[in-house]
């Protein structure tokens, strides 16, 4: 009798569970909800959303469910995600309704990513709080000052260094590409290019940690709450976080010490220590070291991805490479282009912008989080819903971008294309591209990114013919894949091989001369600065 009771109880519990799941299934997929793929209780659609190239799956669902709405709803382990596939909808939700839709979701695998508990570390990921507002003001002010002063020649200097490094060791082009971007930011932030390798490592470490394709805990979030002794994800993040925090603090203190000795040249950090701490409302050294460190880190991966894809674009489209080279040769009359030449180089700017459209750097987009319940086009959207502006869908819209799957820079240069704008001395510009985000969360580094890409891509086009590498055995071109990349939040292509062929011996020697001249000028400037500092110290001692 006891045995039969247990069987009956078990059958009852199973039946109750099945009925409960069925009711949940009906409720989750009720006809009145925002259209989207069929949801399964508790897991939503986590079972068929791939970690690799997830933007393609989001786009596929959009083709099936978004329709004329320009959006659809899905759910991942209880997290509601409104995926936006139409720019007009993104404009409505993230710009016109920015007041309530500009928060960021928590990234589970980062320590206090939103600064809810006062960490103040990651400006692009912060919630909409006091730290975010004041750090955004400081970042905007410093990047604007740098742009207005053409980055004090730093970008030109590092582009010349990179050309010679490519001549000396072309096989290491990916390393030197990223190192160039890192050196630019390390000099702007701390006036120390020797910090570039660690800064680059730190940048990619943070990017991996914040990406869905990074730690498993970014997707299966409950794993984060396991005890640390059996939680390798939390242990690894604490180590990474503490090292980065300490390194940022060391940089601030190093600049301060050099300032005391009169040995520190101007940079973002010295500017803050001299005047910024009084004007910015930054709370102290900890917060200052974080906001300045983030400026340096973000400037690495926002340039490295598009610049890597520029190489891919030019290798696959030699006809456009030749047109850009012709434009540079005619405008610059044999010299390496500078930012001052940019208004006269529309083809160069068109190929840069088309590269960023054709191979978007942030194809999944960066999610916002709703701060209040809302009604939108007849649907109720709950507070806490994530709004994902799917950049891959925006930049593959055939109405705005006819022939979207192909590389067509002429869409920015010729009347008759939907995207054509005048004057060509200003347009095309990558500023305002959807990849840089929306509303109050737009990237503050758009001008820096554009300027560095113009200088770097212009220098490459001036110095080299970018070509496929030939297999020494078969004599065939070694493929440069168009569909292979990492799947981080900000992507770049998987490692590939290519050839950097100097356009002529004369151009090669000129590149070497330019770098030697720039390197000597930089060394002299640093030496003279130190000599003047030593003289001032000596005079002070005599005065005492």
């Amino acid at each position: 009798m006891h045995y039969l009771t247990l069987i009956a109880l078990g059958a009852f519990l199973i039946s109750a569970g099945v009925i409960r799941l069925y009711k949940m299934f009906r409720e989750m997929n009720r006809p009145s909800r925002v259209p989207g793929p069929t949801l399964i209780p508790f897991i939503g659609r986590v079972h068929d959303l791939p970690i690799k190239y997830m933007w393609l799956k989001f786009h596929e669902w959009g083709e099936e469910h978004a329709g004329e709405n320009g959006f659809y709803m899905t759910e991942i382990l209880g997290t509601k995600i409104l995926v936006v596939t139409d720019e007009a909808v993104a404009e409505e939700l993230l710009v016109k309704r920015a007041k309530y839709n500009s928060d960021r979701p928590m990234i589970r695998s980062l320590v206090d990513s939103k600064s809810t508990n006062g960490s103040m570390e990651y400006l692009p990921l912060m919630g909409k709080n006091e730290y975010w507002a004041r750090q955004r003001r400081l970042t905007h002010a410093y990047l604007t000052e740098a742009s207005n002063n053409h980055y004090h020649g730093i970008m030109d200097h590092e582009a010349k260094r990179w050309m010679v490094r490519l001549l000396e060791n072309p096989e290491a082009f990916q390393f030197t590409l990223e190192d160039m971007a890192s050196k630019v930011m390390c000099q702007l932030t701390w006036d120390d290019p020797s910090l570039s390798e660690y800064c680059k490592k730190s940048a990619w470490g943070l990017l991996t940690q914040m990406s869905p394709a990074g730690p498993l805990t970014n997707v299966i979030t409950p794993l984060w709450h396991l005890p640390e002794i059996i939680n390798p994800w939390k242990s690894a993040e604490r180590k990474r976080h503490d090292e980065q925090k300490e390194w940022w603090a060391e940089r601030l203190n190093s600049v301060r010490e050099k300032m005391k000795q009169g040995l520190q040249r101007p940079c973002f950090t010295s500017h803050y220590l001299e005047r910024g701490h009084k004007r910015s409302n930054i709370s102290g050294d900890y917060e200052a070291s974080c906001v300045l460190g983030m400026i340096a880190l973000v400037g690495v991966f926002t340039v490295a991805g598009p610049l890597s894809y520029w190489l891919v674009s030019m290798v696959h489209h030699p006809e456009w490479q030749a047109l850009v080279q012709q434009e540079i040769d005619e405008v610059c009359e044999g010299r390496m282009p500078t930012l001052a030449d940019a208004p006269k180089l529309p083809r160069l700017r068109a190929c840069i912008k088309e590269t960023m459209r054709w191979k978007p750097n942030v194809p999944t987009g960066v999610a916002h989080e709703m701060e209040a319940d809302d009604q939108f086009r007849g649907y109720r959207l709950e507070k806490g819903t994530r709004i994902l502006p799917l950049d891959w869908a925006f930049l593959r819209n055939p109405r705005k971008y006819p022939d979207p799957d192909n590389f067509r820079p002429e869409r920015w240069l010729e009347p008759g294309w939907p995207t054509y704008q005048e004057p060509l001395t200003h347009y095309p510009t990558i500023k305002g591209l959807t990849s840089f985000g929306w509303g109050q969360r737009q990237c503050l580094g758009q001008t820096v990114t554009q300027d560095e890409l113009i200088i770097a891509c212009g220098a490459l086009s001036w110095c080299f013919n970018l070509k496929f590498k030939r297999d020494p055995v078969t004599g065939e071109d070694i493929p440069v894949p168009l569909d292979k990349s990492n799947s981080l939040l900000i992507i770049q292509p998987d490692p590939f091989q290519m050839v950097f062929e100097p356009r002529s011996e004369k151009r090669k020697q000129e590149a070497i001369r330019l770098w030697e001249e720039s390197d000597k000028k930089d060394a002299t400037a640093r030496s003279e600065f130190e000599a003047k500092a030593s003289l001032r110290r000596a005079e002070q001692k005599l005065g005492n």
Side-chain angles (χ1 to χ4, degrees), residues 499-516:
V499 169
F500 293 82
E501 176 189 81
R503 292 182 60 194
S504 68
E505 182 62 26
K506 181 180 178 181
R507 195 61 58 89
K508 174 182 175 181
Q509 293 304 320
E510 178 64 3
I512 294 170
R513 186 194 70 78
L514 286 173
W515 165 240
E516 290 176 346

Side-chain angles (χ1 to χ4, degrees), residues 109 111 209 224 228 233-244:
S109 298
V111 173
Q209 199 69 21
W224 182 258
E228 195 156 342
W233 306 284
K234 186 176 287 187
S235 299
E237 165 55 8
R238 289 204 183 279
K239 181 175 183 294
R240 185 209 65 79
H241 167 268
D242 292 349
E243 285 181 2
Q244 184 176 74

Side-chain angles (χ1 to χ4, degrees), residues 202-472:
S202 185
W204 291 115
L206 174 59
L207 181 61
T208 299
Q209 199 69 21
M210 63 192 261
S211 300
L216 185 61
T217 44
N218 278 341
V219 178
I220 306 178
T221 54
L223 292 175
W224 182 258
H225 300 291
L226 291 171
E228 195 156 342
I229 194 171
I230 57 169
N231 190 332
W233 306 284
K234 186 176 287 187
S235 299
E237 165 55 8
R238 289 204 183 279
K239 181 175 183 294
R240 185 209 65 79
H241 167 268
D242 292 349
E243 285 181 2
Q244 184 176 74
K245 178 180 170 182
E246 182 180 357
W247 190 71
W248 284 346
E250 288 173 357
R251 303 283 64 76
L252 184 80
N253 289 328
S254 176
V255 170
R256 176 184 281 123
E257 187 57 36
K258 286 183 179 179
M259 288 174 68
K260 289 179 181 178
Q261 299 172 28
L263 297 174
Q264 179 62 55
R265 300 197 310 168
C267 61
F268 293 160
T269 304
S270 68
H271 183 78
Y272 167 77
L273 291 171
E274 286 172 349
R275 302 186 300 277
H277 65 290
K278 297 177 181 177
R279 301 178 181 176
S280 64
N281 296 323
I282 297 296
S283 58
D285 283 4
Y286 165 58
E287 184 178 2
S289 69
C290 293
V291 63
L292 293 164
M294 274 305 294
I295 292 174
L297 261 65
V298 173
V300 177
F301 43 67
T302 55
V303 169
L307 188 50
S308 298
Y309 275 117
W310 166 271
L311 300 177
V312 174
S313 298
M314 293 298 99
V315 167
H316 278 276
H317 302 93
E319 71 285 3
W320 276 103
Q321 181 178 184
L323 287 170
V324 171
Q325 290 172 331
Q326 179 188 33
E327 179 181 70
I328 288 172
D329 291 345
E330 291 175 354
V331 170
C332 301
E333 299 179 336
R335 59 180 173 76
M336 184 184 289
T338 68
L339 276 180
D341 300 307
K344 299 178 182 178
L345 300 173
R347 287 182 199 158
L348 172 65
R349 287 182 280 111
C351 286
I352 291 170
K353 187 165 187 176
E354 181 65 0
T355 294
M356 294 184 69
R357 184 210 65 82
W358 184 52
K359 297 296 177 185
N361 204 200
V362 193
T364 309
V366 182
H368 293 223
E369 186 170 278
M370 296 182 62
E371 301 167 76
D373 293 344
D374 196 7
Q375 290 287 329
F376 183 68
R377 298 189 182 178
Y379 297 104
R380 181 175 180 273
L381 304 178
E382 296 178 10
K383 177 182 177 180
T385 297
R386 297 185 181 187
I387 303 174
L388 188 66
L390 187 62
D391 208 43
W392 184 264
F394 302 154
L395 298 173
R396 285 293 188 278
N397 180 348
R399 293 189 299 277
K400 185 173 182 179
Y401 304 108
D403 194 18
D405 293 326
N406 288 312
F407 184 78
R408 301 292 298 272
E410 62 265 39
R411 73 175 75 250
W412 310 106
L413 298 170
E414 298 176 359
W417 290 83
T419 46
Y420 176 76
Q421 289 178 280
E422 293 181 339
L424 289 180
T425 52
H426 177 74
Y427 299 104
T429 172
I430 65 171
K431 289 190 284 187
L433 198 64
T434 55
S435 300
F436 287 113
W438 296 85
Q440 297 176 6
R441 289 294 181 165
Q442 266 200 328
C443 175
L444 294 171
Q446 295 181 56
T447 299
V448 174
T449 301
Q450 173 166 271
D451 291 348
E452 191 166 347
L453 288 174
I454 286 172
I455 289 175
C457 297
L460 284 167
S461 302
W462 173 82
C463 193
F464 296 105
N465 295 315
L466 308 177
K467 295 183 173 183
F468 287 101
K469 187 172 185 178
R470 289 192 178 275
D471 188 308

Side-chain angles (χ1 to χ4, degrees), residues 9 34 106 112 147 160 190 201 207 222 236 269 276 280 291 313 325-326 346 439 446-447 491 539:
L9 178 61
V34 179
M106 177 186 290
D112 194 21
S147 172
K160 292 168 185 175
W190 303 293
K201 173 188 171 185
L207 181 61
T269 304
S280 64
V291 63
S313 298
Q325 290 172 331
Q326 179 188 33
Q446 295 181 56
T447 299
I491 70 168
E539 290 173 345

